[in-house]
Amino acid sequence: MSINYTETHIPCKRKNRTIIVYFGIFIQYTEIMRDKARYISIVSGAMTQTTVEHKEGCTCSQGYTRHRRRERTPKKFRGERYNVPIWQIRCLKCKAVFTVLPSFIARYQRFDIDCLSKLLEINLVMTSSYRHTLKILEYARGEQQTWNPGSILHIINWLGDLLPLPCILLRLGLTPPQSVIEDEKFVRENGERTYIAFISQQEIIWWIEYLANTDELHLEDSFKRYLAEVREVYPDYNIEGATYDGWKAAKTAFEAVNINIVLQECHLHGKARMSRALPAIKRDNPALTEEQLEKIKECHDQVIEAKSLASYSQRLRQFREAFGHITEVAKRCISLKNKLPMFLAYLFFPLLKLAKVSTLLDQLIKFFDRKFLIMQTFRESSSANKTVHAFAIVRNFWKYMPGAKRVGKSPVEIAGADLQRIPWLEVVNLATTSRMTPKVHVTNMHDT
């Protein structure tokens, strides 16, 4: 009898059954490891919240036992190596085997979480280049490193590929924003224009994506991807209101994903358009003095800053009567009339708490600008998307430094996330296998 090897000898695909559990710092972890009952109790509590699956049909009701032990030897920031015992556990019902990593150990990385977080902060928030990041590491270790700059890019890609950005924020217990601020960053790479789309709530970046274009279709697809990620947890979620810079493609894209969305145009962008029009007004009307040009700008800005519908209409009428004979001003008057609902949306819909200006997002983009200037180019699009994603993660967890109004707190903490004093990259690491905030794991550890 002949055997059809093509049909019978199919390689078995290994399941990724690695879970991340919070045990505290390394010393606490080694103490817990010595107490088998305590270790199993903590892991069992974490398993109730894990996203890692057992074998089909298993309800994991009979508990776990230790299965096999091995060791990892991660590196610290200053170069020291240390041995970390790692246990596998086995489900007593379905016999599935799981690898249990303490939260200070990252999968597929030879450095511990503390070292990785420092390298990511130096490179992405402190805006050092890859080579400068390696040079700082050399100074810390007192010896020359044999790395190449691609090693830092590998770490950035690892972070950018861990979890979708909204998923991390939702697992921290944050509520998705009802109203957002949206903007696009236009950049040049090797002479060609590329784009980064941002969606934020206050200082938190909820969505960031590298796009080939910012036309209606690309932005609409990006917004839909954001909604799809959030709807995994909140099925009925929609963006109810958005502050944007007046880009027509963004308006069309928002209306495509939610026809009832309320749009607020940024006041600063509206004023900036008038400022950019002044040179053309001066060129076409050379008799105008600088004082008259300033008066045109002042009257225009007063229309946008009106605090009521009546005031807006009155100021617009006065602006048109005073300067409407100037072609560029006449065009701006038509625009101001058409955009009245969008400049005053924050007044018409107070419950949405729409931002009048996109300043908070603009400040975040300034940090991104600095990073982009250091990098010079993103090269390949998939790596670029991971890079911008990693930037947003680090920026969301970066604590404000001395001199800031909210010194010592990160944007996610200001928004209400309780990190339980766990280092931020450990929090992200925990989120890769947990459905819940790290508080669950901390409570389980102390209760035992």
Side-chain angles (χ1 to χ4, degrees), residues 130-406:
Y130 299 142
R131 286 181 170 83
H132 289 168
T133 303
L134 292 179
K135 184 59 67 175
I136 292 171
L137 196 63
E138 286 185 3
Y139 294 154
R141 295 182 175 181
E143 59 183 12
Q144 187 173 358
Q145 300 299 305
T146 58
W147 294 13
N148 61 63
S151 302
I152 302 297
L153 179 60
H154 173 74
I155 293 172
I156 291 171
N157 286 345
W158 164 79
L159 177 64
D161 206 28
L162 270 183
L163 277 176
L165 185 58
C167 182
I168 296 173
L169 300 175
L170 293 174
R171 291 186 182 184
L172 287 175
L174 297 182
T175 303
Q178 183 183 25
S179 300
V180 302
I181 303 174
E182 188 274 340
D183 205 350
E184 312 84 29
K185 170 63 184 171
F186 298 80
V187 296
R188 283 195 178 274
E189 300 180 52
N190 296 325
E192 295 187 6
R193 296 190 80 177
T194 51
Y195 312 86
I196 315 295
F198 294 80
I199 291 178
S200 74
Q201 178 194 32
Q202 301 299 325
E203 298 98 333
I204 296 181
I205 303 173
W206 273 86
W207 184 252
I208 187 170
E209 192 168 23
Y210 180 92
L211 302 174
N213 207 325
T214 53
D215 57 20
E216 293 90 337
L217 292 178
H218 283 82
L219 286 173
E220 181 183 340
D221 288 344
S222 183
F223 297 162
K224 285 180 177 178
R225 283 189 286 274
Y226 163 70
L227 290 173
E229 292 293 343
V230 177
R231 285 171 180 168
E232 290 289 327
V233 180
Y234 293 88
D236 299 325
Y237 173 73
N238 254 325
I239 302 174
E240 301 297 332
T243 299
Y244 78 119
D245 62 359
W247 183 247
K248 185 178 179 181
K251 177 179 182 294
T252 306
F254 271 125
E255 291 172 339
V257 298
N258 181 9
I259 194 171
N260 295 317
I261 192 170
V262 176
L263 293 172
Q264 166 71 46
E265 186 160 337
C266 173
H267 285 195
L268 293 181
H269 282 82
K271 294 176 182 179
R273 279 190 285 276
M274 186 71 248
S275 297
R276 290 193 295 269
L278 290 178
I281 294 174
K282 177 64 175 176
R283 184 187 64 241
D284 297 339
N285 304 271
L288 290 175
T289 64
E290 290 298 323
E291 290 76 12
Q292 289 173 317
L293 290 174
E294 286 295 324
K295 185 63 177 177
I296 291 172
K297 177 74 168 58
E298 180 183 347
C299 291
H300 174 273
D301 292 352
Q302 286 177 350
V303 176
I304 292 178
E305 288 297 330
K307 301 298 183 182
S308 67
L309 174 60
S311 178
Y312 188 100
S313 301
Q314 181 184 23
R315 292 179 183 184
L316 177 57
R317 184 177 65 255
Q318 292 172 347
F319 182 48
R320 184 171 53 245
E321 290 173 353
F323 303 103
H325 60 282
I326 301 173
T327 303
E328 284 295 327
V329 172
K331 291 179 181 178
R332 289 302 303 155
C333 288
I334 294 172
S335 177
L336 289 172
K337 181 180 179 181
N338 293 336
K339 291 186 175 183
L340 182 153
M342 286 177 282
F343 279 123
L344 298 184
Y346 76 102
L347 294 175
F348 297 155
F349 301 91
L351 294 180
L352 290 179
K353 297 181 180 178
L354 291 161
K356 287 200 311 181
V357 295
S358 60
T359 304
L360 289 173
L361 181 53
D362 293 339
Q363 290 174 344
L364 288 172
I365 292 176
K366 286 181 181 178
F367 279 93
F368 182 83
D369 282 341
R370 296 172 195 168
K371 178 60 189 171
F372 183 80
L373 288 173
I374 293 294
M375 289 180 63
Q376 299 299 321
T377 177
F378 280 130
R379 300 180 181 87
E380 200 264 332
S381 60
S382 63
S383 178
N385 211 27
K386 293 174 185 177
T387 300
V388 299
H389 188 200
F391 165 83
I393 294 172
V394 179
R395 182 62 202 167
N396 282 344
F397 285 95
W398 176 256
K399 294 182 183 293
Y400 288 106
M401 300 176 70
K405 291 182 180 179
R406 288 168 284 193

